[in-house]
Amino acid sequence: MSLNMFTNPLRSLLSSTSRLLAIPSSGASSSRSASTFAHLGELSPAKGSTKVDTRYGRGPGSQKGGTSGRGHKGQKARAGKGVRLGFEGGQTPLHRKIPKRGFINFTSKTYAPLSIATLQSFISQSRISPTETITVGTIVRSNAVHGLSHLSGVKLLGEPDPELPLPPLKLELSRYGKSAAQAIINAGGEVSAVYHNNLGLRKECFPEKFVGRDIKAAKPTRKTDILYYTNPKKYGYLANESNPAASKMSPEEWTKVSHAQVQPHA
């Protein structure tokens, strides 16, 4: 018996196995070659993308065993541990020793400025109609003023642009500068300072959100607002509705008001 009888089958087996394990040529599909050698068990997250959580109280070998890294007893070692910021054990803390300067006036109000020149420009571009009453909502929806989420209204300021026309306008904004109001009046228009609270401002800016909701316009409650919007010199819209103070009334006016309050309703 010759040796080739045993070596030939072995050679054919090795050659077939090498063809199966051989890397395919460039013309073969790369996905097929990848699927030949990649397995789900070999997948792992990228290096540094994961972090093992620290396990407390799992023996001294973990470096966080026993006291779990809180030291021995004390206020900071208990459940719900912690001391509030600035606490110094009961003594006068530093933030109470330092003198204070200034304050924040929480009653102050900020108004979005609107120049007459901008108003004239928007009217000439037909972005605001001069024939309708111009309110705070009209100004906001035309984007002459951007948003009133942190503001209290719109204030008209400045001098008119002589190169742009200024038709007679009817304005119902929050406040006016002296020169701005006088320029509107000289052009044959009307100005009226109207008060709006936060809800009233939202209703003016987004009337579509209040369809079917009967919301009455709020009147000012703070003393400064009441004095402003009842002052005819400030063009307040409540100037005609408010009665003068009793100390400033004449005897005839006081008698009329008293009789009107005493007489019963019909």
Side-chain angles (χ1 to χ4, degrees):
M1 298 177 62
S2 63
L3 187 60
N4 293 335
M5 295 177 60
F6 300 98
T7 57
N8 289 336
L10 183 60
R11 289 175 181 174
S12 60
L13 179 61
L14 292 175
S15 61
S16 61
T17 305
S18 62
R19 286 196 300 267
L20 290 175
L21 298 178
I23 300 176
S25 60
S26 58
S29 174
S30 59
S31 60
R32 178 177 297 179
S33 63
S35 63
T36 304
F37 298 101
H39 302 281
L40 292 177
E42 298 175 356
L43 298 178
S44 62
K47 185 178 180 180
S49 63
T50 58
K51 180 181 178 181
V52 180
D53 295 336
T54 303
R55 303 178 70 210
Y56 296 93
R58 293 299 181 269
S62 65
Q63 302 299 319
K64 294 293 183 181
T67 57
S68 301
R70 295 190 181 185
H72 293 280
K73 302 183 180 179
Q75 185 178 13
K76 296 181 181 179
R78 306 304 180 184
K81 64 164 188 170
V83 182
R84 69 175 184 272
L85 185 65
F87 183 71
E88 299 182 15
Q91 69 179 10
T92 304
L94 180 63
H95 66 85
R96 292 182 58 188
K97 297 178 181 178
I98 300 175
K100 311 301 186 294
R101 295 289 183 270
F103 73 104
I104 297 176
N105 186 3
F106 66 94
T107 63
S108 65
K109 295 184 178 181
T110 305
Y111 296 90
L114 174 67
S115 65
I116 296 186
T118 302
L119 184 61
Q120 291 176 272
S121 176
F122 275 57
I123 292 174
S124 62
Q125 297 174 21
S126 300
R127 300 176 66 175
I128 295 178
S129 175
T131 59
E132 300 178 358
T133 302
I134 300 176
T135 63
V136 174
T138 307
I139 298 299
V140 173
R141 288 191 295 274
S142 65
N143 284 332
V145 169
H146 298 281
L148 293 178
S149 58
H150 61 287
L151 301 175
S152 302
V154 177
K155 183 174 183 179
L156 188 68
L157 299 169
E159 298 286 345
D161 189 350
E163 298 181 359
L164 295 175
L166 181 60
L169 304 173
K170 184 177 181 181
L171 302 180
E172 292 183 358
L173 304 180
S174 302
R175 298 200 173 188
Y176 303 89
K178 290 183 178 180
S179 59
Q182 194 60 42
I184 297 295
I185 295 174
N186 293 340
E190 301 177 13
V191 294
S192 178
V194 181
Y195 169 81
H196 294 99
N197 59 359
N198 293 335
L199 183 61
L201 278 177
R202 291 200 299 271
K203 184 179 179 181
E204 280 286 336
C205 300
F206 310 103
E208 66 278 359
K209 296 183 179 180
F210 294 84
V211 175
R213 298 171 59 184
D214 185 16
I215 298 178
K216 296 182 180 180
K219 290 188 176 181
T221 56
R222 296 187 182 276
K223 181 179 178 180
T224 54
D225 292 335
I226 293 174
L227 294 177
Y228 186 92
Y229 291 104
T230 55
N231 189 352
K233 295 182 180 179
K234 302 293 185 179
Y235 313 102
Y237 74 115
L238 298 176
N240 298 328
E241 299 181 10
S242 62
N243 296 321
S247 60
K248 298 181 181 180
M249 287 184 182
S250 63
E252 294 79 12
E253 292 175 344
W254 174 253
T255 304
K256 291 180 182 179
V257 173
S258 301
H259 282 301
Q261 294 176 352
V262 171
Q263 289 180 358
H265 296 286

